[in-house]
C-alpha cells in the first residue's frame, strides 16, 4: 500500500479562489487604500490560525517521517541528501543573485545624490530602524526581534562577525528549554530533538507502539485541521493582502520609491525568477525525470499562501498538505519540508547577496571578487540563520553588509519595497523546500515512494 492511498486530493478550485482573492485584494487596496487597511484584523486572525498549529505539526510530521523509515540506519542517505540539497541550492541562489546584479548593475546612476545624503545624515541608528520595521511587519516585540539571532546586538554593540554567526548557528541546533523554544517558535532545536527522539523510538519498536500510534493519529488530525483552514484560506488571504497593499498605497511611498530603485526591484525579481523557473526545475528534472512545472502547479496553493503570508513557517502546514497531494512520499515530505522551512532559504540568500552589491554600487564602492565571495558565504550563512517570519532577512542583512564594510544606514534605501520582495522570496523558499522533498524521496526505497504521482498525466 503506497503512502498516497489516503492522501487528500488536490483541489484546483481552491487554487483559483486563492489566486482570485489576491487579485481582488490588490485591486481593492489600490482603489480604496484606507478602507483596505481595516481588513488587517481578518488577515491577522488567519495568519495566527496557521501559526497556531506549526509547532505541534512540526513535531508530529518530522516524527512520522523518521518512524516511517522503520530503522534509524535508513536515515543516513535521505538526511545527507537533504542537507546536501539545502547547501547546493542556497549557494546556487546566491550565485544567481550575484550574476544578475553584476550584469544589470541596478545601483549605478539610479539613485540621486539628495536621496543618498538623506540616509547618510540620518540621525536614527539603522539597527533601531530595522528592529522597529521588523516588529511592525511580523507582530513581534522589538525584544523578540533582537532574539531572532541569539547574539544580535540589543542596543549599540557591534554587529556579529562571520565567526559569531557560525557560533550562533551551532547554538541554534539545541535549546536548554524545549517549551520556551516552542513558545518562541524556534523550529530548528525542536526539529533536532524530534529527529533524535524519533530515531530512538525506532530502536525499541516493541515498547513504543502506543506512542507511535498516538503520534501518527495526532499528525493525521492536524493535517485534517489544515484542510479545514484551507477552506477559509481565500478569505484570510484576501484580508492579508488587502491590508498590506492598502497600507503601502495609503502611505504613498511605494511607487515613489520604485522610481528610484526600480532597477534593483527588477534585478531581484529576475534573479528569483531564474532560480524558481530554471534552476530548481532543472534539479527536479535531473533527479526525477518528470515535468517540474506540473509539480509546481500541484504546489500552487502553498506558493500562493507563501506570497500572502510572507512566512515560510506559517505556510508549512499548507506545504505539507500540497506535497502529499502531489504524490510525494510522506516519509520524505514530513522529514524534509519542516527542516527546509527552517534552514533552506534560497530566496532570502539571493536577495541578501543582490541587495549588498546594489548598496555598494549606489555609493560607488566596487567590490572585488574576493569581497563578493565573502558576500556569497555570509549571505548563505545569514539566510540559514534567518527566522521563518516576515522580513527576517532585513535583520540578517546587517551581517552581510558588515562582512564587507558597507555602511548600514543605506539599508534604508530598500526598506520601502522590501515587504513586497519578501513575498516573492518566501514563495521561492517554499518551492525550494517542496523540490527538496521530491529529490529526497528518490533516496527512500522504491516500495515507499507512491506511484504514479498525483500530478502525472492521466492520458486523457
Amino acid at each position: 500500500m503506497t503512502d498516497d492511498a489516503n492522501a487528500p486530493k488536490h483541489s484546483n478550485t481552491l487554487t483559483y479562489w486563492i489566486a482570485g482573492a489576491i487579485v481582488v485584494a490588490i485591486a481593492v487596496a489600490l482603489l480604496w487604500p484606507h478602507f483596505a487597511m481595516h481588513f488587517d484584523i481578518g488577515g491577522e486572525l488567519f495568519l495566527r490560525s496557521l501559526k497556531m498549529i506549526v509547532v505541534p505539526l512540526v513535531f508530529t510530521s518530522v516524527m512520522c517521517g523518521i518512524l516511517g523509515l522503520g530503522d534509524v540506519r535508513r536515515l543516513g542517505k535521505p538526511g545527507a541528501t537533504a542537507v546536501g540539497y539545502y547547501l547546493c541550492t542556497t549557494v546556487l541562489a546566491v550565485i544567481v543573485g550575484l550574476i544578475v546584479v553584476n550584469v544589470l548593475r541596478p545601483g549605478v546612476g539610479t539613485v540621486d545624490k539628495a536621496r543618498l545624503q538623506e540616509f547618510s545624515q540620518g540621525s536614527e541608528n539603522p539597527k533601531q530602524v530595522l528592529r522597529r520595521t521588523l516588529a511592525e511587519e511580523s507582530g513581534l516585540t522589538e525584544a523578540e526581534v533582537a532574539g531572532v539571532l541569539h547574539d544580535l546586538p540589543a542596543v549599540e554593540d557591534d554587529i556579529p562577525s562571520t565567526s559569531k554567526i557560525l557560533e550562533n548557528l551551532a547554538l541554534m541546533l539545541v535549546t536548554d528549554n524545549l517549551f520556551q523554544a516552542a513558545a518562541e517558535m524556534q523550529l530548528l532545536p525542536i526539529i533536532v530533538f524530534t529527529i533524535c527522539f524519533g530515531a530512538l523510538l525506532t530502536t525499541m519498536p516493541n515498547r513504543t507502539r502506543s506512542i507511535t500510534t498516538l503520534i501518527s493519529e495526532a499528525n493525521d488530525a492536524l493535517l485534517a485541521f489544515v484542510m479545514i483552514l484551507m477552506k477559509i484560506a481565500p478569505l484570510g488571504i484576501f484580508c492579508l493582502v488587502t491590508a498590506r497593499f492598502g497600507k503601502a498605497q495609503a502611505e504613498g511611498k511605494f511607487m515613489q520609491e520604485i522610481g528610484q530603485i526600480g532597477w534593483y526591484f527588477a534585478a531581484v525579481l529576475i534573479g528569483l525568477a531564474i532560480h524558481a523557473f530554471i534552476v530548481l526545475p532543472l534539479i527536479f528534472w535531473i533527479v526525477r525525470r518528470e515535468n517540474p512545472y506540473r509539480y509546481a502547479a500541484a504546489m500552487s496553493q502553498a506558493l500562493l499562501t507563501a506570497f500572502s503570508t510572507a512566512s515560510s513557517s506559517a505556510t508549512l502546514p499548507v506545504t505539507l498538505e500540497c506535497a502529499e497531494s502531489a504524490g510525494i512520499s510522506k516519509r520524505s515530505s514530513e522529514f524534509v519540508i519542516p527542516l527546509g522551512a527552517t534552514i533552506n532559504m534560497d530566496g532570502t540568500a539571493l536577495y541578501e547577496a543582490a541587495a549588498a552589491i546594489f548598496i555598494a554600487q549606489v555609493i560607488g564602492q566596487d567590490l572585488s571578487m574576493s569581497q563578493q565571495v565573502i558576500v556569497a558565504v555570509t549571505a548563505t550563512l545569514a539566510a540559514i540563520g534567518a527566522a521563518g517570519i516576515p522580513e527576517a532577512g532585513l535583520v540578517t542583512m546587517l551581517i552581510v553588509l558588515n562582512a564587507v564594510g558597507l555602511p548600514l544606514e543605506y539599508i534604508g534605501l530598500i526598506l520601502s519595497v522590501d515587504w513586497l520582495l519578501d513575498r516573492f522570496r518566501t514563495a521561492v523558499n517554499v518551492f525550494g523546500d517542496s523540490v527538496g522533498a521530491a529529490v529526497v524521496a528518490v533516496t527512500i526505497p522504491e516500495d515507499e515512494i507512491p506511484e504514479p504521482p498525483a500530478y502525472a498525466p492521466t492520458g486523457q
Side-chain angles (χ1 to χ4, degrees):
M1 182 174 172
T2 59
D3 276 335
D4 63 336
N6 298 312
K9 300 303 179 185
H10 188 73
S11 171
N12 286 331
T13 302
L14 181 58
T15 302
Y16 298 147
W17 274 102
I18 293 175
I22 293 175
V23 173
V24 173
I26 293 174
V28 170
L30 294 178
L31 293 173
W32 304 287
H34 294 285
F35 171 72
M37 292 170 64
H38 290 92
F39 286 92
D40 181 61
I41 182 65
E44 186 64 23
L45 285 172
F46 177 68
L47 189 58
R48 290 191 180 196
S49 298
L50 287 174
K51 288 182 175 180
M52 178 174 61
I53 62 173
V54 166
V55 171
L57 185 59
V58 164
F59 181 83
T60 59
S61 63
V62 174
M63 189 77 76
C64 285
I66 301 300
L67 294 174
L69 294 174
D71 187 332
V72 67
R73 290 171 296 184
R74 301 171 74 180
L75 179 61
K77 190 174 180 180
T81 302
V83 173
Y85 169 84
Y86 296 150
L87 290 176
C88 288
T89 55
T90 303
V91 170
L92 286 172
V94 169
I95 291 172
V96 168
L98 290 177
I99 291 174
V100 169
V101 81
N102 276 288
V103 170
L104 295 182
R105 298 183 66 79
V108 177
T110 55
V111 182
D112 58 56
K113 293 183 178 179
R115 184 72 171 146
L116 291 177
Q117 193 172 16
E118 177 184 337
F119 288 107
S120 63
Q121 296 178 351
S123 58
E124 193 170 11
N125 188 289
K127 290 177 284 186
Q128 295 174 343
V129 175
L130 285 180
R131 285 198 189 88
R132 186 175 63 250
T133 300
L134 183 56
E136 291 173 355
E137 297 299 333
S138 65
L140 302 176
T141 65
E142 291 192 32
E144 289 173 326
V145 169
V148 171
L149 291 175
H150 295 299
D151 291 324
L152 190 69
V155 189
E156 299 295 332
D157 304 331
D158 292 333
I159 301 299
S161 63
T162 303
S163 61
K164 177 60 70 175
I165 186 60
L166 282 171
E167 291 178 22
N168 289 341
L169 289 175
L171 292 173
M172 286 171 67
L173 295 173
V174 294
T175 177
D176 56 0
N177 190 329
L178 198 62
F179 294 100
Q180 182 179 353
E184 296 175 357
M185 229 166 86
Q186 297 177 20
L187 297 185
L188 192 55
I190 295 175
I191 291 172
V192 170
F193 169 80
T194 304
I195 291 174
C196 295
F197 188 62
L200 177 65
L201 292 181
T202 64
T203 66
M204 41 196 300
N206 295 329
R207 289 179 288 170
T208 58
R209 285 199 178 96
S210 297
I211 296 178
T212 56
T213 300
L214 175 63
I215 291 169
S216 177
E217 291 177 350
N219 190 57
D220 290 341
L222 287 169
L223 288 175
F225 187 51
V226 173
M227 296 299 294
I228 295 174
L229 283 179
M230 289 312 295
K231 293 183 184 298
I232 63 169
L235 179 60
I237 286 172
F238 170 82
C239 293
L240 272 173
V241 177
T242 302
R244 190 58 188 87
F245 275 75
K247 180 182 178 182
Q249 179 73 355
E251 291 174 349
K253 296 179 181 178
F254 179 67
M255 294 308 298
Q256 177 184 352
E257 292 296 326
I258 284 291
Q260 285 282 310
I261 58 174
W263 276 106
Y264 159 75
F265 189 86
V268 174
L269 287 186
I270 290 171
L272 292 173
I274 291 172
H275 191 70
F277 295 115
I278 298 176
V279 176
L280 291 176
L282 185 61
I283 293 172
F284 182 93
W285 182 83
I286 290 172
V287 173
R288 296 183 65 96
R289 286 296 193 271
E290 297 168 5
N291 190 326
Y293 301 107
R294 280 201 177 94
Y295 180 63
M299 296 300 301
S300 56
Q301 286 181 20
L303 301 181
L304 290 171
T305 304
F307 178 85
S308 305
T309 62
S311 170
S312 50
S313 295
T315 309
L316 177 59
V318 187
T319 311
L320 285 169
E321 185 273 320
C322 286
E324 187 178 347
S325 295
I328 299 303
S329 166
K330 286 184 67 175
R331 292 170 178 82
S332 177
S333 61
E334 289 174 342
F335 169 60
V336 174
I337 291 176
L339 188 59
T342 308
I343 65 173
N344 185 40
M345 302 288 182
D346 296 353
T348 302
L350 187 153
Y351 144 81
E352 292 188 348
I357 303 302
F358 166 74
I359 290 173
Q361 291 173 352
V362 164
I363 63 176
Q365 182 176 332
D366 287 330
L367 299 183
S368 65
M369 182 60 70
S370 60
Q371 287 178 308
Q372 295 203 29
V373 170
I374 293 174
V375 167
V377 172
T378 312
T380 300
L381 296 175
I384 293 172
I389 58 175
E391 301 196 58
L394 282 177
V395 177
T396 53
M397 172 64 70
L398 294 171
I399 301 165
V400 180
L401 295 179
N402 184 71
V404 286
L406 292 172
L408 303 181
E409 57 266 23
Y410 290 107
I411 201 173
L413 283 169
I414 63 176
L415 283 179
S416 58
V417 298
D418 187 78
W419 65 272
L420 183 54
L421 287 175
D422 188 30
R423 281 155 166 72
F424 287 103
R425 63 180 184 257
T426 301
V428 173
N429 291 342
V430 169
F431 186 49
D433 297 341
S434 62
V435 171
V439 168
V440 172
V442 175
T443 68
I444 297 174
E446 291 193 17
D447 61 330
E448 298 176 13
I449 298 178
E451 56 178 349
Y455 58 86
T458 59
Q460 295 179 346

